[in-house]
C-alpha cells in the first residue's frame, strides 16, 4: 500500500478531533480516529454539568454539519448555551455516529514514530510512514501505519497541580481524597454533601475557578448549604484583569463569569487571598487541611481543596517524534507568541493554521487544546479553524490551508485572563477591561494588591 493510501490517524474523538475527521472526509482522505474513552467526547462528558460560554452557533464545525445533514440532524438554536452534556448528546455523538467505523473507542495511543526510524535517525526519514502503537481496553496491543498524524487528544487528563512552582505541593498527593482538579457538580447529591457547610479552598484565576466560586456561593445561599464558605487563592495580586472582561468581553457569558466570582466575594460567600503560592498542604490536629505558602504564611484550615490551575499536554507518547515546542508553553514554536499569557494582551489571538502548527517532523500536527500547551483561553472555533487548515495542507491544497476564515472574539481583558470552561450567566454591569480592583477580604498576612511580582502586565486596551 502506498503512503497516500494510508489513513490519517486522528488521536482523540473530542470536538476538534471529530471536526478534523469531518474535514478529511470532505477532502476524500480517510481518517481513523483513536479514542481512549468508551465513547466519543469522553472528556466533555466528564464536565457535562458545566454550561459553556459559547453559544451553539460557535460550537459546531461547518464540515461536520455537512456530514451530519444527510442523517436528518438539526442544528440546535444558535443563540443558546449548551452544557457539556448537551454538546455531547446533540452534536458530538451524532457526528461520531456519522463517521461510523472511522472512530474506534477504547484505543489508547501509547507511541508514535516513523516506521523503522527512532528520533535520532535522519536517513530516508520523511519517506517513511508513521507507525502508531495503541492498546485496547482489554490490554491487547496493536499498531497501524499512517500518512499523517493529527493529535487532538487535549489536555483534560493532565491538570496542573496546586504547587506554585508547577510541582505538586508537599502533601498534595497524600491529601488526594479531599482534593479535586475539576469543577464539582453540586447538583449531584453526593458531591453536594461533600461541600455543603464546609470551608473550601479554590486555587486558580480562570473561568473554571470563577465557576467553582459561583457554584459554592449558590450552595451557601441554599437551604441545605448554610455555612458553606469559599477561600479563593490567587497567585497574583488583584488587577483590572482579575475578574475577566465583564461587559467588554465579546462573549457575554464568558464575561459574566468573572462578575459572578466578584459577586461571591462581595456578598461574603468567599474570601480572597492574593499573592499566595502554595508550597505545602498538611493536616491539622483535626484532620482538616492547612495550606502553607512559599512565603511561610499558613492559612486557616479548610475541609476541601479545588485545584483549577490549568492543564498541561501529555507529550510522552510523542517522544520519538521531532517536535518544535516552545520551552515555556509546550506549544508549537510559531504559535506560542500568539497565545503566551506573559505577552498576550486583551485576549486577541490571531487566526492560525497549519504553518503555525507544523513541526520539524513533517506530517504531524498538534491541534485543539493540546496545541496551546499550557496556555489558556482556547475556544472550540479556534480548533475548527485549525483542522480546516491542517486538512487542506494534508491534501496539498495550500491555497485553502493558508486562507484565514475566522475572526476570534476578544476577551476584553488586558494581559490575558486564563479562561477555560464556563457556565451560563446573565450579562451584568461593571467589571470591564480596566475596571478598578474590587475590595476583597484578605486572609493571612496582608499583601500589597498589584505587587510588581504578581500583577498581570498592563497593555493593549489599558495602556501603561
Amino acid at each position: 500500500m502506498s503512503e497516500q493510501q494510508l489513513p490519517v490517524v486522528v488521536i482523540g474523538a473530542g470536538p476538534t478531533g471529530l471536526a478534523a475527521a469531518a474535514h478529511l472526509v470532505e477532502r476524500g482522505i480517510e481518517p481513523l480516529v483513536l479514542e481512549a474513552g468508551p465513547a466519543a467526547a469522553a472528556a466533555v462528558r466528564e464536565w457535562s454539568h458545566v454550561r459553556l460560554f459559547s453559544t451553539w452557533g460557535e460550537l459546531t464545525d461547518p464540515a461536520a454539519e455537512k456530514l451530519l445533514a444527510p442523517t436528518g440532524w438539526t442544528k440546535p438554536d444558535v443563540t443558546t448555551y449548551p452544557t457539556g452534556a448537551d454538546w455531547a448528546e446533540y452534536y458530538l455523538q451524532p457526528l461520531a455516529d456519522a463517521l461510523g467505523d472511522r472512530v474506534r473507542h477504547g484505543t489508547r495511543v501509547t507511541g508514535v514514530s516513523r516506521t523503522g526510524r527512532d528520533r535520532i535517525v535522519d536517513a530516508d526519514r520523511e519517506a517513511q510512514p508513521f507507525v502508531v502503537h495503541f492498546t485496547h481496553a482489554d490490554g491487547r496491543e496493536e499498531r497501524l501505519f499512517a500518512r499523517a498524524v493529527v493529535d487532538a487528544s487535549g489536555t483534560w487528563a493532565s491538570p496542573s497541580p496546586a504547587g506554585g512552582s508547577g510541582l505538586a505541593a508537599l502533601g498534595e498527593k497524600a491529601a488526594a481524597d479531599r482534593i479535586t482538579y475539576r469543577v464539582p457538580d453540586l447538583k449531584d447529591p453526593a458531591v453536594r454533601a461533600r461541600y455543603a457547610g464546609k470551608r473550601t479552598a479554590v486555587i486558580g484565576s480562570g473561568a473554571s475557578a470563577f465557576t467553582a466560586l459561583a457554584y459554592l456561593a449558590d450552595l451557601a445561599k441554599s437551604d441545605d448549604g448554610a455555612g458553606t464558605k469559599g477561600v479563593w487563592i490567587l497567585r497574583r495580586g488583584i488587577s483590572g484583569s482579575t475578574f475577566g472582561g465583564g461587559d467588554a468581553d465579546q462573549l457575554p457569558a464568558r464575561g459574566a463569569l468573572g462578575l459572578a466570582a466578584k459577586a461571591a466575594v462581595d456578598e461574603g460567600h468567599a474570601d480572597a487571598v492574593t499573592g499566595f503560592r502554595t508550597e505545602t498542604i498538611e493536616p491539622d490536629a483535626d484532620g482538616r487541611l492547612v495550606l502553607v505558602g512559599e512565603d511561610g504564611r499558613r492559612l486557616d484550615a479548610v475541609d476541601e481543596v479545588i485545584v483549577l490551575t490549568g492543564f498541561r499536554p501529555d507529550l510522552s507518547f510523542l517522544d520519538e517524534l521531532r517536535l518544535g515546542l516552545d520551552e515555556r508553553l509546550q506549544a508549537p514554536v510559531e504559535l506560542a507568541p500568539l497565545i503566551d499569557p506573559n505577552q498576550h494582551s486583551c485576549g486577541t489571538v490571531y487566526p492560525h493554521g497549519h504553518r503555525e502548527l507544523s513541526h520539524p517532523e513533517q506530517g504531524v500536527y498538534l491541534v485543539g487544546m493540546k496545541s496551546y500547551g499550557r496556555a489558556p483561553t482556547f475556544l472550540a472555533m479556534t480548533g475548527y479553524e485549525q483542522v480546516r487548515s491542517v486538512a487542506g495542507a494534508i491534501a496539498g491544497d495550500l491555497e485553502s490551508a493558508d486562507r484565514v476564515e475566522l475572526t476570534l472574539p476578544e476577551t476584553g481583558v488586558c494581559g490575558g485572563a486564563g479562561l477555560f470552561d464556563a457556565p451560563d450567566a446573565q450579562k451584568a454591569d461593571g467589571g470591564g477591561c480596566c475596571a478598578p480592583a474590587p475590595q476583597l477580604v484578605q486572609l493571612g498576612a496582608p499583601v500589597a494588591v498589584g505587587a510588581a511580582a504578581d500583577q498581570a502586565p498592563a497593555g493593549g486596551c489599558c495602556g501603561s
Side-chain angles (χ1 to χ4, degrees):
M1 180 182 293
S2 72
E3 183 170 322
Q4 294 304 306
Q5 293 175 300
L6 293 174
V8 172
V9 166
V10 178
I11 306 173
T16 307
L18 293 173
H23 279 277
L24 290 165
V25 169
E26 186 175 48
R27 289 184 170 277
I29 299 172
E30 274 301 301
L32 181 58
V33 183
L34 302 180
E35 166 58 46
V44 173
R45 296 175 197 273
E46 291 192 26
W47 50 269
S48 59
H49 59 290
V50 176
R51 194 170 296 279
L52 289 93
F53 55 64
S54 296
T55 64
W56 270 116
E58 297 151 339
L59 293 170
T60 59
D61 174 82
E65 290 185 23
K66 291 178 184 177
L67 191 64
L68 283 164
T71 70
W73 176 81
T74 302
K75 186 172 183 175
D77 182 347
V78 298
T79 65
T80 59
Y81 297 87
T83 62
D86 296 333
W87 202 16
E89 180 179 356
Y90 299 115
Y91 170 64
L92 297 171
Q93 187 59 56
L95 178 54
D97 292 341
L99 288 164
D101 59 8
R102 298 183 179 100
V103 180
R104 297 187 189 178
H105 305 116
T107 54
R108 180 175 298 278
V109 173
T110 57
V112 182
S113 187
R114 289 282 188 179
T115 304
R117 306 288 189 274
D118 62 22
R119 67 183 297 161
I120 299 175
V121 179
D122 290 334
D124 205 27
R125 184 178 189 86
E126 292 182 5
Q128 307 306 313
F130 291 96
V131 59
V132 180
H133 285 216
F134 57 95
T135 58
H136 295 272
D138 60 7
R140 288 182 299 112
E141 295 181 310
E142 192 176 340
R143 70 173 183 174
L144 55 83
F145 301 97
R147 62 185 286 189
V149 175
V150 178
D151 183 358
S153 59
T155 57
W156 177 253
S158 305
S160 296
S165 300
L167 305 173
L170 300 179
E172 183 172 345
K173 294 177 182 177
D177 61 330
R178 274 171 298 161
I179 299 176
T180 183
Y181 300 85
R182 311 289 189 233
V183 175
D185 182 2
L186 297 184
K187 293 181 180 179
D188 181 316
V191 176
R192 190 175 184 86
R194 175 174 173 176
Y195 295 96
K198 303 292 180 62
R199 182 178 173 85
T200 299
V202 178
I203 306 176
S205 59
S208 291
F210 296 164
T211 302
L213 289 165
Y215 283 9
L216 290 172
D218 287 343
L219 177 59
K221 290 181 280 190
S222 67
D223 293 338
D224 62 340
T228 302
K229 186 78 171 185
V231 182
W232 188 17
I233 298 175
L234 298 108
R235 294 172 179 171
R236 295 177 175 178
I238 298 295
S239 72
S241 68
T242 297
F243 292 96
D247 289 339
D249 196 316
Q250 292 180 9
L251 293 178
R254 180 174 60 185
L257 277 177
L259 301 179
K262 181 179 184 300
V265 174
D266 289 346
E267 294 169 4
H269 300 302
D271 297 334
V273 181
T274 60
F276 189 92
R277 297 178 181 274
T278 307
E279 182 176 75
T280 304
I281 300 175
E282 58 186 41
D284 68 3
D286 298 323
R288 302 173 79 202
L289 299 178
V290 175
L291 275 61
V292 183
E294 292 178 353
D295 58 2
R297 278 185 291 167
R298 300 174 64 87
L299 303 186
D300 292 342
V302 297
D303 301 289
E304 300 283 342
V305 180
I306 302 174
V307 180
L308 301 168
T309 53
F311 298 84
R312 52 188 57 179
D314 176 8
L315 301 167
S316 60
F317 60 88
L318 303 176
D319 197 45
E320 292 304 319
L321 297 176
R322 298 176 177 181
L323 302 181
L325 298 174
D326 178 76
E327 67 273 12
R328 290 168 297 180
L329 298 185
Q330 295 177 296
V333 291
E334 295 297 326
L335 174 61
L338 305 181
I339 60 175
D340 187 348
N342 293 298
Q343 306 172 18
H344 195 43
S345 181
C346 284
T348 305
V349 179
Y350 294 102
H352 54 275
H354 74 106
R355 295 195 185 277
E356 292 82 3
L357 298 170
S358 63
H359 295 274
E361 194 80 72
Q362 295 184 21
V364 61
Y365 301 92
L366 276 58
V367 300
M369 190 66 206
K370 191 164 186 176
S371 72
Y372 270 38
R374 299 190 182 201
T377 68
F378 189 81
L379 297 174
M381 64 182 84
T382 301
Y384 298 157
E385 172 67 2
Q386 287 179 341
V387 296
R388 182 203 62 78
S389 175
V390 166
I394 293 173
D397 184 0
L398 295 183
E399 180 182 355
S400 172
D402 288 336
R403 191 166 57 241
V404 173
E405 297 185 3
L406 174 67
T407 300
L408 292 170
E410 295 185 4
T411 64
V413 174
C414 296
L419 306 180
F420 186 53
D421 55 22
D424 194 10
Q426 294 297 317
K427 190 174 181 181
D429 294 331
C433 178
C434 298
Q439 297 300 309
L440 302 181
V441 179
Q442 309 243 342
L443 305 178
V447 177
V449 174
D454 297 310
Q455 187 174 357
C461 58
C462 297
S464 57

